[in-house]
Amino acid sequence: MDIINLTAMDMREKLKNKEISARDIVEAHIDRLQKMEEDLNAFITISKEEALNAADIIDEKIKKGEKLGPLAGIPIGVKDNIITKDIKTTCGSKMLENFIPPYESTVVEKIKKADGIILGKTNMDEFAMGSSTETSYFGITKNPIDTQRVPGGSSGGSAAAVRAKEVAIALGSDTGGSIRQPASFCGVVGLKPTYGLVSRYGLVSLANSLDQIGTLGRNVTDVALLLNAIVGYDEKDSTSVNMDIIDYIEGLSEDVKGMRIGVPKEYLNLNMDERVKEQILNSIEIFKNMGAVVEEISLPHIEYALATYYIISTAEISSNMARFDGIRYGYRAKDYETLDELYINSRSEAFGEEVKRRIMFGTYSLSKDNNEKIYKKAAKVRTIIKEDFDKIFEDYDIILSPTSPSLPFRIGERIEEPLAMYKSDIFTVPINLTGICAISIPCGYVEGLPVGLQIIGDKFEELKVLRLARAFEKHVSLGGENIGL
């Protein structure tokens, strides 16, 4: 049995049936990691001993006939901006190169409680600022489909690790598309949940009003399995929403006939690769054939979303990054004479170019002369964009769009062109601005490279999004053995 080819659900079932042990599963994935990492660099830290110990504890539970958690024995990658107690958490930055947290994030606590096994911390753009995983202090992550290309970002390590079968499922964070865009580039499934559904306690903040932890897997069911384990109210996160727990796997098989889908006319008129557009139009026809009602809609202010996002996100970034001053924790410069020099040298030496660029941009927007005309104006536009989405969801269940306007691009192709890089997020940032949920699933391939379809739902409508994604996945059979059919 080739364990790494199993879905996360299959691993769990075979473990329960005693066909394989948790140690078998972990060792198979460690072997895979050792073969693949030299080429991919998807991980910053591999927690081999901790994973094997956790596997032995689960095997002991099985021997004693104890009840297993829903993630029993499944190897999981965790993006390196999510705090893990006693395991290094670097955020892909020299600033936190040696930071070992003394506490656990809520999501990791929940995974361990569900008997999931943390196999390591995945690579990412520095402090989650990027769309290609090229800005990590620990080196570039490569796309397993074509190692000359980027895996997307900032959760590129998580997406690449899932695609390369180094782990079965993974956690990422999504501030402007950082789960969905790499999922699209690596041909896997990535879900950005509604703001407040999953606790952000222990997520190193990038932009507090936009950040959300989400899940990646090789099929929709595996993504739902991990989501089931990490949702729920958390008193440690003031933005966590107290609501009834939903079983996201139970409702996956329901029919999508009659579901109302809107396709924004403005999206299809935006500048994108024609080959991507063709795949999206083909997908729309598939939904019609499945019995869904697909109609053209309008989001009249969507053209302002990208600019609004970068003003608001960089303003929040400039505030969040202020804590990294060389004093409380993180990197401290060796050469300084005054307190000002300590601040300046520590931040200059430890932050990369993209982090510095966004701090400067955000500080400019928040400055006394610009606060009213830039930042506050962007906040007002954000509200208008949200109202556009609210109005659409009064009549429609789902909105469709491409995940990315382009195919995975070559390493180095856009790193010197920040604006070209930022445009990778044009379809994903409105979801974070409005706090709703969306998933990216593979909808086709162009010259061997994957195209992602973004399925967008209203707040807390993850089940509708997952149900439609699962129905599409089953219909087109993309992913072969990976989709658990």
Side-chain angles (χ1 to χ4, degrees):
M1 183 190 306
D2 199 349
I3 292 174
I4 61 166
N5 285 328
L6 297 173
T7 67
M9 289 289 282
D10 284 342
M11 284 178 208
R12 188 183 73 165
E13 292 311 306
K14 289 186 184 302
L15 180 71
K16 282 184 178 174
N17 296 334
K18 300 182 181 176
E19 294 173 56
I20 51 177
S21 69
R23 183 168 264 268
D24 290 338
I25 297 173
V26 170
E27 285 180 342
H29 284 85
I30 289 171
D31 286 348
R32 180 69 172 174
L33 268 164
Q34 287 169 345
K35 284 176 189 163
M36 301 298 293
E37 271 304 278
E38 192 175 337
D39 286 336
L40 297 182
N41 193 34
F43 280 82
I44 292 174
T45 301
I46 298 169
S47 45
K48 179 181 171 182
E49 293 308 316
E50 292 89 341
L52 287 169
N53 289 338
D56 289 342
I57 290 169
I58 291 165
D59 286 336
E60 194 60 30
K61 274 187 173 184
I62 294 171
K63 273 186 196 169
K64 291 178 180 173
E66 294 177 14
K67 189 180 176 186
L68 296 178
L71 298 177
I74 299 171
I76 300 168
V78 175
K79 188 176 180 180
D80 209 20
N81 61 347
I82 298 171
I83 293 287
T84 40
K85 186 181 180 185
D86 299 331
I87 299 176
K88 216 162 53 165
T89 298
T90 70
C91 291
S93 178
K94 182 178 179 179
M95 181 61 82
L96 293 176
E97 184 178 3
N98 298 308
F99 175 55
I100 299 176
Y103 69 101
E104 201 84 276
S105 58
T106 295
V107 285
V108 170
E109 207 170 77
K110 282 175 176 276
I111 285 173
K112 288 183 175 177
K113 195 175 173 186
D115 287 331
I117 296 177
I118 307 298
L119 205 50
K121 305 298 292 292
T122 55
N123 204 359
M124 54 181 284
D125 282 300
E126 185 180 8
F127 282 104
M129 299 183 207
S131 306
S132 62
T133 316
E134 291 175 288
T135 68
S136 170
Y137 176 67
F138 300 93
I140 297 167
T141 294
K142 296 173 183 172
N143 193 321
I145 297 170
D146 178 350
T147 54
Q148 300 299 308
R149 295 177 187 271
V150 303
S154 63
S155 308
S158 290
V162 168
R163 175 70 193 206
K165 300 177 182 173
E166 294 179 328
V167 289
I169 44 182
L171 289 180
S173 69
D174 192 316
T175 303
S178 286
I179 289 174
R180 291 158 287 155
Q181 187 252 22
S184 172
F185 278 16
C186 291
V188 298
V189 180
L191 174 73
K192 183 260 171 205
T194 304
Y195 188 81
L197 183 69
V198 176
S199 171
R200 295 182 302 118
Y201 177 74
L203 172 65
V204 178
S205 298
L206 172 63
N208 301 60
S209 75
L210 303 161
D211 297 335
Q212 186 58 66
I213 293 173
T215 58
L216 296 110
R218 292 194 291 274
N219 65 49
V220 175
T221 308
D222 284 356
V223 163
L225 175 70
L226 184 52
L227 181 67
N228 266 356
I230 62 171
V231 296
Y233 174 67
D234 181 12
E235 61 182 13
K236 294 175 189 167
D237 176 2
S238 62
T239 63
S240 176
V241 175
N242 197 350
M243 57 182 278
D244 292 339
I245 299 292
I246 295 169
D247 186 331
Y248 294 102
I249 294 178
E250 198 172 301
L252 276 185
S253 57
E254 289 176 24
D255 195 3
V256 299
K257 194 173 179 182
M259 194 177 270
R260 290 180 62 76
I261 298 174
V263 180
K265 61 181 180 184
E266 294 84 0
Y267 271 179
L268 294 180
N269 291 330
L270 290 172
N271 188 25
M272 75 174 97
D273 188 316
E274 283 300 317
R275 297 168 297 176
V276 170
K277 187 173 180 177
E278 188 181 334
Q279 291 294 329
I280 300 302
L281 293 175
N282 289 342
S283 303
I284 289 169
E285 292 307 311
I286 289 172
F287 283 118
K288 287 179 182 173
N289 292 336
M290 289 164 58
V293 178
V294 185
E295 294 177 341
E296 185 179 274
I297 57 168
S298 177
L299 292 168
H301 301 95
I302 204 71
E303 63 179 301
Y304 306 113
L306 193 64
T308 302
Y309 169 80
Y310 274 97
I311 291 169
I312 289 173
S313 65
T314 54
E316 295 185 21
I317 286 166
S318 74
S319 299
N320 275 321
M321 292 295 114
R323 85 189 79 164
F324 300 106
D325 54 10
I327 294 190
R328 282 168 288 187
Y329 49 84
Y331 178 82
R332 175 178 288 194
K334 290 187 175 66
D335 296 325
Y336 60 89
E337 291 184 0
T338 66
L339 185 60
D340 279 352
E341 274 187 15
L342 171 61
Y343 291 151
I344 293 166
N345 293 350
S346 297
R347 289 165 68 84
S348 298
E349 292 168 18
F351 283 146
E353 290 304 308
E354 183 60 28
V355 174
K356 290 174 190 171
R357 181 182 295 117
R358 296 198 193 196
I359 290 172
M360 289 175 68
F361 185 21
T363 306
Y364 179 80
S365 301
L366 291 175
S367 61
K368 185 181 173 186
D369 291 342
N370 296 314
N371 184 280
E372 193 74 36
K373 68 181 178 185
I374 297 180
Y375 178 74
K376 288 187 178 175
K377 189 174 181 180
K380 289 175 185 171
V381 175
R382 180 183 189 174
T383 301
I384 293 169
I385 293 170
K386 184 179 180 307
E387 288 170 353
D388 285 348
F389 276 88
D390 288 345
K391 194 175 172 188
I392 293 299
F393 283 122
E394 287 175 6
D395 297 319
Y396 293 87
D397 300 298
I398 293 292
I399 298 172
L400 289 183
S401 84
T403 305
S404 167
S406 70
L407 297 168
F409 46 87
R410 292 188 179 280
I411 291 169
E413 190 178 306
R414 297 189 185 179
I415 195 69
E416 302 298 332
E417 298 179 59
L419 283 178
M421 188 75 83
Y422 298 164
K423 285 179 181 174
S424 296
D425 306 329
I426 196 164
F427 295 116
T428 51
V429 295
I431 313 312
N432 301 78
L433 284 172
T434 52
I436 55 179
C437 61
I439 196 169
S440 177
I441 58 169
C443 69
Y445 283 78
V446 175
E447 297 172 7
L449 298 173
V451 176
L453 171 72
Q454 184 174 223
I455 300 174
I456 304 164
D458 201 0
K459 52 186 178 297
F460 305 114
E461 293 287 4
E462 278 77 5
L463 189 53
K464 275 186 189 173
V465 166
L466 288 163
R467 184 151 51 100
L468 194 69
R470 173 61 178 158
F472 182 86
E473 179 183 71
K474 197 172 175 182
H475 191 87
V476 300
S477 297
L478 277 176
E481 79 277 12
N482 293 330
I483 66 171
L485 293 174

